[in-house]
């Protein structure tokens, strides 16, 4: 038996943003929680790399837009608790052809959910944002509450219980008390929450399950302003999301994270082993950067059309790009949060709350049908 001091109400594996918020909600409800991280903190090996993210209510699906209402509240509450700015309202500009189906669906969702937004025809778009060059037939949809989230995980981590970094999990033994063995020692907990990003299946395989997760390496590109400040957050330049301009979305945030550099990225990447994330670029990496260069040249004329800085992060995608928030099918005190598919950061306050509720066997605050493991019919007995 482990010593009593090593017994926790819950252990969370993975100190990325989802794990941090899960620990935050557990600690808020006075649970003894341990957050385990295999790397020494801070590190840039996971999904959320860099200092800024887009926050938005604009989604095709009602359930994400509904979840975001509470996310904004929790981000504001956390700003207050941490005493640091985490959100800056810039507006989010959705760009696409007038007939783009996804743009129309998002507009309908925003209307249904009562989210303030404005449709901008080409002429008005040109007047409002003269430093964006439009393709013929391109229109805009402006979501007023969109903006930038500053990814200060330390602020959240400090409010969420005990953190042990540099401890890789070597073994999980299911049971009434789950035993977690790391490179340093063993711990016991009444429940276990796995939020291990690209390393999720490595932990789940010995527990008899493999999720349909695809790990992608994403290029995070920053582009130099020809005139410093042209696309700056202080100049009221919005975040943007471009549809129908490439096979996948292109998104951008105003300059500010690095002085004089604007973040413009492609919402897609290439298959990658998380252990070899920094290996030399594949040909498809170069293709992705070429797509971005063409977009920057054609749409953002005040940026140099070659990236000044290129970093990398990881996406862990599900086939439908919806999250997995569920209990292990065999062990109901093991909870899984995975497959955040490159859009989980802004939703992490509510994801953490849901994972806390699942781990404590409480009624979930949201309908979890879109997030259940059982939606993947291929996960039959062969995977169990």
């Amino acid at each position: 038996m482990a010593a009593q001091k090593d017994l926790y109400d819950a252990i969370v594996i993975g100190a990325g943003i989802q794990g941090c918020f899960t620990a935050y909600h557990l600690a808020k409800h006075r649970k003894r929680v341990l957050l385990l991280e295999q790397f020494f903190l801070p590190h840039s090996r996971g999904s959320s790399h860099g200092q800024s993210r887009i926050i938005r209510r604009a989604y095709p699906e009602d359930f994400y837009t509904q979840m975001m209402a509470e996310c904004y509240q929790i981000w504001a509450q956390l700003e207050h608790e941490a005493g640091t700015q985490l959100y800056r309202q810039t507006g989010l500009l959705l760009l696409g052809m007038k007939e783009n189906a996804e743009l129309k669906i998002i507009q309908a969702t925003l209307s249904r959910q009562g989210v303030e937004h404005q449709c901008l025809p080409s002429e008005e778009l040109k007047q409002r944002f003269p430093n964006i060059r439009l393709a013929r037939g391109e229109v805009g949809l402006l979501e007023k509450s969109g903006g930038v989230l500053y990814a200060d995980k330390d602020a959240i981590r400090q409010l969420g219980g005990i953190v042990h970094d540099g401890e890789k999990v070597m073994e999980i033994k299911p049971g009434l008390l789950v035993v977690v063995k790391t490179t340093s020692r063993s711990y016991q907990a009444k429940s276990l929450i796995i939020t291990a990003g690209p390393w999720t299946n490595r932990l789940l395989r010995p527990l008899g399950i493999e999720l349909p997760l695809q790990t992608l390496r994403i290029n995070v590109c920053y582009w130099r302003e020809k005139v410093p400040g042209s696309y700056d957050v202080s100049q009221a330049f919005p975040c943007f999301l471009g549809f129908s301009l490439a096979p996948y979305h292109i998104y951008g945030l105003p300059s500010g994270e690095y002085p004089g550099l604007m973040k413009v990225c492609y919402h897609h990447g290439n298959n990658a082993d998380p252990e070899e994330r920094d290996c030399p670029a594949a040909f498809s990496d170069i293709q992705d950067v070429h797509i971005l260069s063409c977009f920057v040249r054609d749409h953002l004329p005040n940026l140099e059309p070659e990236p000044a800085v290129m970093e990398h992060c990881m996406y862990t995608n599900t086939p439908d790009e919806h999250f997995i928030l569920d209990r292990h099918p065999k062990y109901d005190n093991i909870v899984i949060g995975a497959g955040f598919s490159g859009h989980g950061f802004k939703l992490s306050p509510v994801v953490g709350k849901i994972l806390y509720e699942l781990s404590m066997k409480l009624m979930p605050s949201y309908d979890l049908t879109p997030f259940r493991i059982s939606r993947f019919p291929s996960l039959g007995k062969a995977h169990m």
Side-chain angles (χ1 to χ4, degrees):
M1 280 287 284
Q4 187 62 34
K5 64 180 166 53
D6 289 333
L7 175 62
Y8 294 87
D9 292 308
I11 292 173
V12 181
I13 301 176
I17 194 66
Q18 311 299 345
C20 286
F21 263 114
T22 304
Y24 168 79
H25 284 286
L26 284 157
K28 260 193 122 47
H29 291 88
R30 303 188 185 282
K31 302 300 176 189
R32 190 162 190 258
V33 54
L34 172 65
L35 184 56
L36 289 173
E37 171 53 53
Q38 64 174 322
F39 301 112
F40 287 101
L41 295 168
H43 71 84
S44 61
R45 299 287 298 275
S47 303
S48 310
H49 186 37
Q51 291 306 307
S52 55
R53 297 286 169 288
I54 292 176
I55 184 169
R56 60 185 163 105
R57 287 179 166 90
Y59 265 99
E61 300 87 2
D62 287 84
F63 55 84
Y64 286 126
T65 302
Q66 287 162 357
M67 289 163 82
M68 280 309 304
E70 187 177 3
C71 287
Y72 272 88
Q73 291 169 9
I74 299 174
W75 281 116
Q77 183 185 327
L78 192 67
E79 264 190 334
H80 176 70
E81 288 174 26
T84 182
Q85 186 185 14
L86 298 174
Y87 161 60
R88 181 160 184 167
Q89 187 173 349
T90 63
L92 171 72
L93 180 63
L94 307 175
L95 288 170
M97 293 301 170
K98 195 174 182 178
E99 62 280 1
N100 182 272
E102 194 169 2
L103 208 53
K104 287 179 178 176
I105 293 166
I106 290 172
Q107 189 193 338
T109 304
L110 293 175
S111 297
R112 250 192 327 273
Q113 297 297 330
V115 177
E116 193 181 350
H117 64 283
Q118 190 180 358
C119 296
L120 300 175
S122 298
E123 284 310 309
E124 194 175 342
L125 202 48
K126 283 175 193 166
Q127 286 170 4
R128 287 278 293 272
F129 306 108
N131 44 3
I132 299 177
R133 190 189 288 144
L134 300 173
R136 188 185 295 276
E138 216 168 1
V139 296
L141 178 63
L142 186 66
E143 187 218 313
K144 302 283 180 70
S145 59
V148 179
L149 270 181
Y150 299 107
D152 187 356
K153 284 188 286 241
D154 290 336
I156 305 151
R157 210 178 283 128
Q158 283 162 15
L159 298 168
I162 302 158
V163 183
H164 288 189
D165 61 350
E167 283 197 40
K168 186 175 180 177
V169 172
M170 305 307 287
E171 189 183 2
I172 297 166
K173 289 182 186 169
L176 199 58
L177 290 178
V178 184
V179 178
V180 178
K181 189 179 174 190
T182 73
T183 41
S184 298
R185 59 202 290 189
S186 288
Y187 306 95
Q188 289 189 116
K190 295 169 191 170
S191 67
L192 173 69
I193 303 105
I194 297 172
T195 53
W199 294 273
T200 298
N201 275 330
R202 184 182 73 76
L203 296 171
L204 290 178
R205 271 183 218 113
L207 301 175
I209 186 170
E210 181 154 5
L211 299 175
L213 299 174
Q214 181 188 25
T215 303
L216 300 175
R217 181 174 97 145
I218 306 297
N219 298 311
V220 182
C221 298
Y222 297 84
W223 311 75
R224 192 171 304 286
E225 294 170 314
K226 291 175 181 174
V227 178
S230 314
Y231 297 100
D232 196 85
V233 70
S234 63
Q235 299 296 314
F237 191 79
C239 296
F240 72 83
L241 200 52
F243 300 90
S244 62
L245 308 165
Y248 298 90
H249 302 159
I250 291 170
Y251 67 90
L253 293 86
S255 60
E257 185 174 334
Y258 293 127
L261 298 180
M262 184 178 176
K263 187 179 187 173
V264 181
C265 305
Y266 194 40
H267 189 64
H268 191 62
N270 305 287
N271 285 325
D273 180 334
E275 301 297 346
E276 296 170 14
R277 197 194 74 172
D278 297 320
C279 61
F283 173 65
S284 40
D285 267 8
I286 297 156
Q287 278 183 312
D288 290 355
V289 175
H290 179 68
I291 288 167
L292 286 173
S293 288
C294 292
F295 174 84
V296 167
R297 184 194 65 214
D298 295 343
H299 281 78
L300 301 167
N302 294 340
L303 293 180
E304 299 288 353
E306 294 298 324
V309 175
M310 196 158 87
E311 298 171 343
H312 301 291
C313 73
M314 304 296 286
Y315 282 6
T316 308
N317 283 25
T318 59
D320 58 9
E321 297 194 1
H322 297 321
F323 313 155
I324 294 169
L325 307 172
D326 207 348
R327 293 192 183 95
H328 188 291
K330 194 173 169 188
Y331 310 111
D332 73 347
N333 61 345
I334 297 179
V335 172
I336 302 159
F340 294 101
S341 305
H343 66 109
F345 195 96
K346 71 188 90 59
L347 284 144
S348 55
V350 162
V351 166
K353 181 183 177 182
I354 290 167
L355 294 174
Y356 149 72
E357 289 167 341
L358 287 171
S359 72
M360 293 294 122
K361 311 250 180 24
L362 302 171
M363 175 68 78
S365 301
Y366 294 84
D367 176 10
L368 299 186
T369 307
F371 308 119
R372 293 199 195 288
I373 293 170
S374 59
R375 74 183 188 271
F376 302 114
S378 60
L379 277 184
K381 286 181 181 165
H383 289 267
M384 289 295 294

